[in-house]
Amino acid sequence: MIQDIFDRGELEAEVGQTAFPALRLAHRLSPEAIRDLIEQAGLVGKGGAGFPTCRKLALMQRQPDAVKYVVINGGEHEPGSGKDHHLLEHYPITVLEGALILAHAASAGVLHIALLQTAERAIENLKNAVRLLKEDSLSKCAPEVRISVVSESYIVGEESALLEVLSGRDPLPRQRPPHPVQAGLDGRPTLVQNVETVSHLPYIVLYGAASYRALSPAGAGVTLCTFGPEFVKEGVCLVPLGISLRDVLTIYGGGLKSGKKIKAVQPGGYSAGFLTNAELDVCFDHAPLREAGSALGCGVIRAFDEDQDMVSVAADVMDFFRQSCCGQCPGCRMQTQVLSRIMDQTLAGRGSEKLTRQVPVVIKANEDKGICGFIHMPAAPALSILKKFDEDFVRHFEVSTDKVVRE
């Protein structure tokens, strides 16, 4: 069992039950020292992209503006993800403390925390944590804390779309450059980070980078994962990075409830490429999973047993992207609609090898034609599922051929 790095008992025991102990220590450190500590810990963003937290912070620190913002994204718009909600419900003080540490390191005068409008308990818990801060002497040097609510629309999870919402506009991603760290809210430098990312900071500040890395036998730190309902141990779990994906599934996920052999895995949510059972010995970390054609993303782990029709899965994933597209970019809109239609037709027995050969053509034609990264998201799941589970598609092609013969 991994040490619970978010637990207040663990964190406050280090300094004798003092409220916000990591924040007190952070205030004795320079912003540059905190950035170096984050770099030594190897912490990366937990919202999906896995971008090094220290590099994003360094970009923010280089901005000369006197007014800066930090925005914490707690909307958790990835389907199946429960980690941020878990932290906000059970460890709201740790979330707030980590956000305040980041705001201090970024020299930000305003801290925005965005939550889903339906997360009533999380909102109340966070408000209680802010009230606790106001009763503490630390409040004198704390930034202004604003709690905002956002919709469940998937595109709101994109950082520039989130900033649009917080500015009172429609959730449409912005053209970049400028990037949010250059011109975000009110045209000011704005650092956007995920709830889980900042929740790791109190432990790192109190215990040090080496202790944080040592939480993993590979010296790579930890991450929260959400195991789908198909797993014996479904739900949110803290998992060490650097072990094999197979160990993640069996030790921390408990294997499948069905007891059947795993046929396919998406280790990082809907935009991650599919992996076969033969590929499960890959190292569970961002770089190795990318090299394997998949992604760690925000740690939403989906697994499918040997009886699963992967064409049905493909149709579900492509339909999700079709529905989630904001429609702002013609290329993205066209791509998501066409990919969804191809998979739906194949599932309905009206597909063919000629039809599915259009998938890579459509993806290539629309490469880099979107304002944000959403246009790239359907590519890995669509291409990997076609390549690795072609037998499932062939069975549907045979159904299509039989229909033609009968007619």
Side-chain angles (χ1 to χ4, degrees):
M1 180 68 69
I2 300 175
Q3 181 182 357
D4 188 348
I5 64 170
F6 311 111
D7 181 63
R8 297 313 299 175
E10 292 278 353
L11 296 172
E12 294 172 6
E14 178 71 5
V15 289
Q17 301 298 316
T18 302
F20 302 103
L23 182 59
R24 294 179 195 280
L25 179 55
H27 279 176
R28 298 200 293 269
L29 300 174
S30 69
E32 292 74 21
I34 295 174
R35 184 193 66 216
D36 291 344
L37 188 60
I38 292 171
E39 181 177 14
Q40 292 160 16
L43 182 67
V44 300
K46 304 294 184 178
F51 192 79
T53 307
C54 66
R55 287 175 58 188
K56 204 170 183 181
L57 178 58
L59 290 171
M60 182 68 164
Q61 290 175 341
R62 286 202 290 269
Q63 303 308 311
D65 300 54
V67 178
K68 296 181 180 181
Y69 295 94
V70 163
V71 172
I72 306 302
N73 186 357
E76 195 156 39
H77 295 89
E78 181 70 32
S81 182
K83 64 185 183 66
D84 295 341
H85 191 71
H86 172 79
L87 288 167
L88 288 160
E89 285 213 348
H90 299 284
Y91 308 102
I93 297 175
T94 302
V95 173
L96 178 60
E97 186 174 33
L100 291 166
I101 291 170
L102 184 65
H104 167 63
S107 302
V110 179
L111 170 62
H112 271 277
I113 304 178
L115 308 177
L116 285 181
Q117 56 193 11
T118 54
E120 295 179 1
R121 183 179 170 189
I123 294 169
E124 185 57 34
N125 286 354
L126 192 58
K127 286 181 177 178
N128 288 336
V130 172
R131 280 192 282 269
L132 182 63
L133 173 67
K134 290 180 178 178
E135 296 169 0
D136 197 285
S137 60
L138 285 169
S139 62
K140 297 176 182 177
C141 52
E144 177 189 350
V145 180
R146 302 175 187 173
I147 299 175
S148 304
V149 295
V150 297
S151 74
E152 295 180 333
S153 174
Y154 181 76
I155 201 65
V156 178
E158 198 277 334
E159 66 176 21
S160 67
L162 173 62
L163 298 183
E164 289 293 286
V165 171
L166 294 179
S167 300
R169 295 187 285 271
D170 291 335
L172 297 175
R174 299 176 182 176
Q175 186 76 50
R176 283 169 280 194
H179 296 276
V181 292
Q182 298 168 312
L185 285 177
D186 302 330
R188 302 289 190 173
T190 304
L191 178 60
V192 183
Q193 277 292 1
N194 172 259
V195 156
E196 186 196 345
T197 309
V198 297
S199 297
H200 288 244
L201 295 180
Y203 184 93
I204 292 171
V205 169
L206 282 175
Y207 288 88
S211 293
Y212 177 76
R213 283 185 171 276
L215 293 168
S216 159
V222 291
T223 197
L224 282 174
C225 293
T226 309
F227 291 90
E230 66 274 17
F231 285 96
V232 172
K233 300 178 182 179
E234 66 176 287
V236 178
C237 180
L238 193 61
V239 172
L241 293 166
I243 64 175
S244 73
L245 176 57
R246 193 180 303 276
D247 282 346
V248 170
L249 302 177
T250 56
I251 297 172
Y252 295 93
L256 299 182
K257 290 177 181 176
S258 67
K260 296 177 181 178
K261 182 180 178 181
I262 290 176
K263 178 178 184 177
V265 172
Q266 260 189 316
Y270 274 46
S271 60
F274 288 87
L275 299 174
T276 66
N277 189 286
E279 296 175 294
L280 297 185
D281 292 317
V282 63
C283 177
F284 187 67
D285 209 340
H286 286 278
L289 285 170
R290 276 196 298 269
E291 290 172 8
S294 189
L296 195 153
C298 58
V300 179
I301 301 180
R302 308 171 71 217
F304 308 90
D305 69 30
E306 55 194 338
D307 295 334
Q308 178 67 55
D309 173 21
M310 297 306 292
V311 176
S312 174
V313 175
D316 173 67
V317 172
M318 293 306 115
D319 183 61
F320 165 75
F321 286 119
R322 178 187 63 80
Q323 293 189 54
S324 300
C325 176
C326 74
Q328 182 175 206
C329 304
C332 190
R333 186 171 63 247
M334 184 275 282
Q335 174 180 260
T336 54
Q337 290 175 356
V338 171
L339 293 180
S340 179
R341 188 158 58 245
I342 289 173
M343 297 306 177
D344 282 345
Q345 286 184 216
T346 303
L347 183 62
R350 301 194 304 273
S352 65
E353 185 177 351
K354 180 180 179 180
L355 181 65
T356 56
R357 280 204 298 266
Q358 293 306 304
V359 170
V361 175
V362 170
I363 291 172
K364 182 67 175 177
N366 291 285
E367 209 169 42
D368 299 323
K369 290 186 178 179
I371 287 177
C372 73
F374 185 87
I375 198 165
H376 303 292
M377 291 183 177
L383 296 174
S384 62
I385 207 165
L386 276 171
K387 178 181 179 181
K388 297 176 181 180
F389 305 100
D390 57 313
E391 292 182 359
D392 289 34
F393 284 85
V394 169
R395 281 196 294 272
H396 284 272
F397 298 159
E398 290 171 352
V399 170
S400 177
T401 303
D402 288 344
K403 283 186 177 181
V404 172
V405 171
R406 287 198 298 271
E407 291 171 358

